[in-house]
Amino acid sequence: MALLFGEMGLLRPIGGKFSASFGAENIREILDQCRTIAEGLSGYGREIFANSGTLLGLVREGTLLAHDNDIDLGILLQAGDAAGAAREWIALTDRMIADGVAVQRSSWSQVTLKLHKIGGFGVDLFPAWCGADDRLWIYPHTAGNLTKAQLLPLKSDPMTGLALPRDAEAVLVSNYGKDWRTPDEGWSFDWPASRERFADFLACIAAPGGPAEAAG
């Protein structure tokens, strides 16, 4: 067990499969490729930033989390409400897939955009938007409880060159709770609560006729 999870850097099995983690990898090379991906995404005219586990690693550890196994990025949409964000997200992700930049939206969440892998590691893109009241939404963890000013202007991480939210600590509290600075191997994301908070957005994504039908 120590060999598998320590020296070999494998994560504990999910669905009966072991997966590699960043612990046994060349982190600098992965981060360089991640920055290249982020720079390419900026060509779509929207702000790109480190999100979720990637943001946690960069802020708390100064690098990727050793036990993590994917890259998380956020993209700030131009829409000002859930229905508009859903329409924009569907159109934007379809365009990215057609351009060959991305592979598909997650078959599980129907939201997360799967970009091309870095080595064997997944790269996930999550939508964010600001309402008319400047409340900030970052799927799947921040649901109007932060403000636009806590995201923008983005700041550059000096070690990696990736963009971070202006108040990265507030975003981490929103995602992981006030104890985010303390590593917690037993932590798990509360997906049922997230689905409730993002119910309007998810309904628009899942509407049979698309976001426009749900909004109308």
Side-chain angles (χ1 to χ4, degrees), residues 29-216:
E29 182 177 328
I30 293 172
L31 285 170
D32 286 346
Q33 293 184 56
C34 181
R35 187 175 63 251
T36 298
I37 289 174
E39 290 170 351
L41 292 175
S42 66
Y44 287 89
R46 293 163 176 85
E47 302 268 20
I48 309 295
F49 57 93
N51 189 33
S52 297
T54 300
L55 179 63
L56 177 62
L58 294 180
V59 175
R60 192 177 73 193
E61 313 290 346
T63 186
L64 299 177
L65 297 172
H67 63 270
D68 205 356
N69 66 344
D70 62 4
I71 297 291
D72 300 312
L73 300 173
I75 182 169
L76 182 61
L77 304 177
Q78 298 167 349
D81 57 31
R87 288 192 295 271
E88 182 180 347
W89 184 238
I90 293 294
L92 181 62
T93 55
D94 283 350
R95 178 183 168 194
M96 289 181 174
I97 293 168
D99 289 346
V101 172
V103 179
Q104 63 182 26
R105 284 188 297 275
S106 166
S107 58
W108 179 76
S109 73
Q110 302 300 317
V111 175
T112 308
L113 185 64
K114 300 291 184 178
L115 305 179
H116 293 287
K117 292 184 177 182
I118 296 176
F121 300 103
V123 183
D124 292 340
L125 186 64
F126 298 87
W129 68 93
C130 293
D133 56 358
D134 278 348
R135 306 310 297 180
L136 174 64
W137 297 73
I138 307 174
Y139 180 81
H141 53 77
T142 295
N145 51 300
L146 299 180
T147 66
K148 181 178 182 179
Q150 289 173 294
L151 177 67
L152 301 177
L154 298 175
K155 60 184 181 181
S156 178
D157 177 55
M159 294 296 293
T160 66
L162 289 173
L164 309 181
R166 178 184 182 187
D167 189 349
E169 294 191 2
V171 175
L172 290 170
V173 170
S174 180
N175 193 347
Y176 297 99
K178 59 183 178 59
D179 295 325
W180 64 270
R181 293 178 181 82
T182 302
D184 180 3
E185 292 187 4
W187 184 88
S188 62
F189 187 73
D190 190 345
W191 282 105
S194 173
R195 285 191 285 271
E196 288 186 15
R197 292 193 296 268
F198 285 87
D200 291 346
F201 174 72
L202 294 174
C204 291
I205 291 289
E213 179 176 310

